[in-house]
Amino acid sequence: MTRRMTTSLTTLAATGFLASMAAAQGFNDAPPHGAAYDQTPAFEGQTRAPVLEAGDVAVTQTVIAGGLEHPWGLVQLPDASWLVTERPGRMRIVAEDGTLSEPIEGLPEVDARDQGGLHDVSVASDFAETRRVWWTYAEPRGDGENATAVATGILSEDGTTMEEVNVIWQQQPAWASTKHFGARIVHDGEGHIFVGLGERSDPEPRVYAQDPQSTLGKIIRINAEDGTPAGAGIEGALPEIWSMGHRNIQGAAMSPDGQLWMNEHGPRGGDELNLIEAGINYGWPEATYGTDYDGSEMGQTEVEGTQQPVYYWDPSPALSGMTFYEGEMFPDWQGQALLGGLRSADIIRLDIQDGAVVGEARHAQGIGRVREVEVAQDGALMVIIDEEDGQMIRITPEG
């Protein structure tokens, strides 16, 4: 395979201690935007949970690869290399030593304007045998319109080409917008994938998040092989819809106990963490703890017939990819949720007990716009930084 070298295994100077004093860094100091409208949480602990002290360890950050243009999705392969997507439409392999491949050939065209482009990537549990890959992307539909699509293919043995590419699902309706594609993928372990979808941002399409005959602002479940609908069976809804009332899903993961969690961006404040259940309406745009970008009130915090978020943030950290920690390097983090922060430029750690957030901590503060966080095979964290000259960074306990 033709490869080129980029920055590799360079320890970031003066960053090893960035996470050592998370409790002292005041991530809850800023007043909430919603205070201007007397917003209050629906139950104790729904926001600004106590700061976690256990697990507040110093970390070392090591740049594995640089030169990635707005990387978005990340998944580790059985040989310890990584597949990473870049929003302009490229997918590459990053070897364990940081060697960066040339772009993989055979991917469909993407609409890479603004928030569009190539998004999440996932592989089959039996990838070593099947080499099956899935990805989501902003698909151009003509006349400036676009929408999220899901494709699957087989990565060639030499890693240079995606073969047998098939677009298995397309969001409807398409819209002339360059925002809120959502697009995280989660496998359910039973031959299906969940995909979290945005509602395209603008006031006109946003209302479709409440329309059961549209897949804007929804979570869908489809057959992983061919896209056959496998939704929740909601009366009057499209057959692939699993839940509705979402704004812009940016992170998703299955917890160790088999529950599906997703996070989504609020507008100005109101980023949410939701425990996803079949057939539930999560409220957007009628229910939100966010305010409009001009500071005006949006909707209500509680609307009958809609589900409250398990947890919300105000101001917004601009949540991104998420995972649950299962590894040996950070023993105090076992089973806890890890979320990337774009605006907050850190890793957000949540202790979730019995479906409720009981503590929050921040790590690697100042690292950059964390687009995705994954747990490597050896228990280290691997994050990608969403910048024009983005990086893949390995995070380990100091020493």
Side-chain angles (χ1 to χ4, degrees):
M1 181 190 305
T2 302
R3 294 180 181 271
R4 61 183 177 88
M5 292 297 294
T6 61
T7 306
S8 177
L9 301 179
T10 303
T11 303
L12 295 175
T15 58
F17 298 95
L18 281 174
S20 62
M21 294 298 291
Q25 297 212 19
F27 55 85
N28 277 336
D29 287 351
H33 297 300
Y37 304 100
D38 298 321
Q39 287 185 359
T40 57
F43 50 85
E44 185 177 357
Q46 193 182 20
T47 191
R48 302 192 178 214
V51 175
L52 292 170
E53 296 182 4
D56 189 17
V57 297
V59 298
T60 297
Q61 302 171 18
T62 304
V63 176
I64 299 300
L68 295 164
E69 187 176 357
H70 293 291
W72 209 96
L74 183 68
V75 64
Q76 192 167 30
L77 302 179
D79 67 357
S81 65
W82 296 82
L83 270 181
V84 59
T85 63
E86 297 172 281
R87 279 202 295 107
R90 297 182 291 270
M91 189 183 299
R92 301 180 188 268
I93 296 175
V94 181
E96 194 172 10
D97 66 358
T99 305
L100 186 65
S101 79
E102 294 296 332
I104 294 168
E105 297 180 355
L107 300 182
E109 179 186 1
V110 307
D111 185 340
R113 293 175 297 159
D114 196 8
Q115 296 176 7
L118 187 56
H119 292 132
D120 207 9
V121 62
S122 180
V123 299
S125 58
D126 60 353
F127 176 84
E129 292 76 39
T130 65
R131 302 190 65 81
R132 172 72 63 181
V133 180
W134 291 264
W135 63 96
T136 54
Y137 65 104
E139 180 183 52
R141 303 274 179 88
D143 297 324
E145 294 187 344
N146 52 40
T148 299
V150 182
T152 186
I154 304 296
L155 183 62
S156 63
E157 288 291 340
D158 64 2
T160 64
T161 306
M162 198 67 68
E163 302 170 341
E164 301 178 33
V165 172
N166 185 24
V167 179
I168 61 172
W169 187 83
Q170 297 170 303
Q171 185 184 41
Q172 299 291 347
W175 208 269
S177 168
T178 63
K179 292 180 171 62
H180 293 196
F181 294 91
R184 288 295 179 190
I185 301 169
V186 179
H187 292 259
D188 71 353
E190 298 177 352
H192 309 100
I193 55 173
F194 294 100
V195 184
L197 301 160
E199 37 68 287
R200 311 313 313 283
S201 178
D202 296 334
E204 189 176 1
R206 155 186 322 163
V207 299
Y208 281 85
Q210 290 293 321
D211 183 350
Q213 287 296 310
S214 159
T215 49
L216 276 62
K218 308 297 192 301
I219 294 170
I220 62 160
R221 188 176 76 152
I222 57 176
N223 182 284
E225 292 292 329
D226 60 12
T228 303
I234 304 169
E235 185 176 357
L238 295 175
E240 64 265 46
I241 293 176
W242 191 259
S243 63
M244 59 190 295
H246 302 282
R247 184 172 183 268
N248 188 23
I249 291 168
Q250 291 290 289
M254 200 74 74
S255 63
D257 61 359
Q259 293 183 307
L260 178 63
W261 294 80
M262 291 199 180
N263 69 59
E264 60 188 89
H265 284 185
R268 190 167 178 256
D271 283 12
E272 295 182 0
L273 175 69
N274 287 302
L275 175 58
I276 304 302
E277 299 179 85
I280 298 298
N281 186 338
Y282 289 85
W284 178 259
E286 297 173 0
T288 179
Y289 284 90
T291 60
D292 208 344
Y293 292 109
D294 63 5
S296 61
E297 193 169 8
M298 288 188 77
Q300 304 174 53
T301 58
E302 297 186 56
V303 174
E304 185 177 357
T306 68
Q307 181 73 18
Q308 283 286 309
V310 169
Y311 198 68
Y312 74 88
W313 289 260
D314 183 10
S316 297
L319 302 171
S320 60
M322 70 177 291
T323 190
F324 285 85
Y325 188 78
E326 295 183 270
E328 297 181 357
M329 283 197 185
F330 298 92
D332 288 334
W333 298 7
Q334 197 69 26
Q336 295 181 355
L338 302 172
L339 295 76
L342 294 164
R343 183 180 294 116
S344 59
D346 56 17
I347 296 171
I348 301 165
R349 178 167 61 97
L350 300 177
D351 185 4
I352 301 174
Q353 303 289 337
D354 298 323
V357 174
V358 298
E360 177 178 355
R362 303 290 177 94
H363 300 277
Q365 290 182 312
I367 192 173
R369 288 171 52 84
V370 178
R371 176 58 73 177
E372 175 68 298
V373 54
E374 292 287 349
V375 181
Q377 294 167 1
D378 63 1
L381 301 187
M382 194 71 79
V383 303
I384 46 177
I385 305 302
D386 183 2
E387 303 286 358
E388 187 173 348
D389 184 11
Q391 298 174 324
M392 181 183 297
I393 300 176
R394 176 179 162 89
I395 298 177
T396 56
E398 187 188 41

